[in-house]
């Protein structure tokens, strides 16, 4: 078992302290950068840059390292110190990530953009660029977001239901070809046996979640938590009465949504409206 170090307020600069700990943990495990990269699904050069202090990476990369090295929360805590006030990755989102990994089922509603679990690489990149990311941080966050799609893959994937507002499907990407690829990926994911995908048309009108993107996580003990977010912040909700209130709104909204079969036809119609590349 890896011994956890106590995080102190020593004079070491937080970014250097983070890099040192990442190096120390790999040396203690006796693995190479290539082995770490192959196990976690990122380019080994990313972990080399982390160890040299050239980058601090993104939260999902660091969480994966915490899991790999058996140091739950240690590297994430150091990472938060290293990035300081630049981070929006606070305690509630850290807890949400941990709960998502152990959830036995997930229900989701998207107001304006596709959830990370359903994004193509180009869609994720365009969304992150619109959010102001650039350079190495942009590449790392895009790669990290793609890695999360594995949650819905394989026999061990939890059941996942998503309801997409029509606004999500009426907001195309800049490049028609990339938007076609994204819609085709949606259709592919929607065919998986544990995925239910529905569309909430504009004709449904105003409903209880008109202004909220929300994810419900059912946990192994049987209780459910919710995570609501917008483009600037998120909130983990665990208090049972508040979660039940959101669930009632979700259930009422689901009654207004198209069935999975009708929703697939709806997405196909959207796809047919996308111009084809004349060179293809």
């Amino acid at each position: 078992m890896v011994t956890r170090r106590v995080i102190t307020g020593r004079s070491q600069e937080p970014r250097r302290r983070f890099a040192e700990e990442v190096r120390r943990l790999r040396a203690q495990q006796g693995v190479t950068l290539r082995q770490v990269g192959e196990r976690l699904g990122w380019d080994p050069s990313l972990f080399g840059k982390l160890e040299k202090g050239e980058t601090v990476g993104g939260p999902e990369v660091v969480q994966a390292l915490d899991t790999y090295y058996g140091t739950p929360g240690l590297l994430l805590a150091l990472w938060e110190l290293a990035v300081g006030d630049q981070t929006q990755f606070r305690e509630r989102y850290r807890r949400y990530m941990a709960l998502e990994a152990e959830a036995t089922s997930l229900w989701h509603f998207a107001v304006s953009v596709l959830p990370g679990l359903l994004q193509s690489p180009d869609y994720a990149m365009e969304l992150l660029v619109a959010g102001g990311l650039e350079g190495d941080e942009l590449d790392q966050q895009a790669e990290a977001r793609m890695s999360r799609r594995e949650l819905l893959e394989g026999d061990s994937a939890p059941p996942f239901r998503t309801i997409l507002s029509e606004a999500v499907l009426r907001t195309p990407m800049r490049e028609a070809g990339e938007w076609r690829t994204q819609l085709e990926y949606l259709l592919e994911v929607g065919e998986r046996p544990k995925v239910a995908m529905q569309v909430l048309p504009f004709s449904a009108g105003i409903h209880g979640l008109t202004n909220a993107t929300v994810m419900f996580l059912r946990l192994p003990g049987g209780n459910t938590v919710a995570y609501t977010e917008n483009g600037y912040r998120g909130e983990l909700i665990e208090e049972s009465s508040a979660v039940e209130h959101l669930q009632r709104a979700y259930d009422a909204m689901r009654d207004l949504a198209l069935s999975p079969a009708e929703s697939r036809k709806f997405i196909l119609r959207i796809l047919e409206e996308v111009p084809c590349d004349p060179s293809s």
Side-chain angles (χ1 to χ4, degrees), residues 162-178:
T162 183
I163 302 175
L164 306 175
S165 167
E166 183 175 342
V168 175
L169 301 170
R170 295 294 184 187
T171 307
M173 299 171 64
R174 293 186 179 88
E175 295 293 333
E178 294 176 358

Side-chain angles (χ1 to χ4, degrees), residues 32-44 47:
T32 65
L33 290 171
R34 180 178 296 277
Q35 288 173 318
V36 176
E38 290 176 350
R39 179 65 180 84
L40 299 184
W42 279 284
D43 192 302
F47 301 105

Side-chain angles (χ1 to χ4, degrees), residues 64-276:
L65 284 172
D66 257 335
T67 301
Y68 180 63
Y69 291 133
T71 56
L74 172 62
L75 290 178
L76 276 172
L78 290 173
W79 179 84
E80 287 185 336
L81 292 173
V83 297
D85 291 337
Q86 300 173 34
T87 184
Q88 296 181 17
F89 190 69
R90 296 298 185 232
E91 181 61 33
R92 287 183 177 180
Y93 188 60
R94 287 208 302 158
R95 177 158 171 73
Y96 167 77
M97 291 285 287
L99 293 174
E100 182 186 75
E102 65 181 58
T104 58
S105 62
L106 306 93
W107 306 281
H108 174 266
F109 171 61
V111 169
S112 57
V113 299
L114 291 168
L117 294 173
L118 300 178
Q119 293 175 10
S120 69
D122 289 327
Y123 187 97
M125 185 71 74
E126 188 166 315
L127 196 61
L128 291 168
V129 168
L133 293 185
E134 57 185 15
D136 288 344
E137 185 181 9
L138 171 62
D139 293 337
Q140 292 155 14
Q141 291 289 343
E143 289 178 7
R145 185 164 296 188
M146 290 303 95
S147 73
R148 293 187 62 216
R149 302 196 308 182
E150 296 177 1
L151 183 68
L152 301 182
E153 298 174 357
D155 296 336
S156 61
F160 174 66
R161 176 183 297 276
T162 183
I163 302 175
L164 306 175
S165 167
E166 183 175 342
V168 175
L169 301 170
R170 295 294 184 187
T171 307
M173 299 171 64
R174 293 186 179 88
E175 295 293 333
E178 294 176 358
W179 183 228
R180 289 186 64 85
T181 298
Q182 172 63 82
L183 293 173
E184 289 167 352
Y185 181 68
L186 269 185
L187 292 168
E188 183 270 309
V189 175
E191 288 292 282
R192 295 177 187 175
K194 293 186 178 182
V195 174
M197 188 176 297
Q198 295 179 256
V199 173
L200 183 73
F202 288 141
S203 60
I206 296 174
H207 54 85
L209 294 177
T210 296
N211 297 318
T213 286
V214 61
M215 176 78 88
F216 296 97
L217 307 177
R218 185 169 181 82
L219 304 177
N223 61 310
T224 300
V225 300
Y227 187 78
T228 62
E229 63 180 348
N230 57 36
Y232 303 97
R233 66 185 299 271
E235 180 180 6
L236 179 64
I237 301 172
E238 300 183 77
E239 201 276 316
S240 59
S241 62
V243 173
E244 289 172 3
H245 176 78
L246 286 170
Q247 283 184 302
R248 287 195 295 272
Y250 185 88
D251 289 342
M253 178 197 62
R254 184 175 59 187
D255 290 341
L256 302 173
L258 303 177
S259 70
E262 293 170 331
S263 297
R264 180 175 178 81
K265 293 178 182 178
F266 188 98
I267 297 172
L268 282 169
R269 288 197 297 272
I270 296 288
L271 181 59
E272 291 171 356
E273 296 172 5
V274 180
C276 293

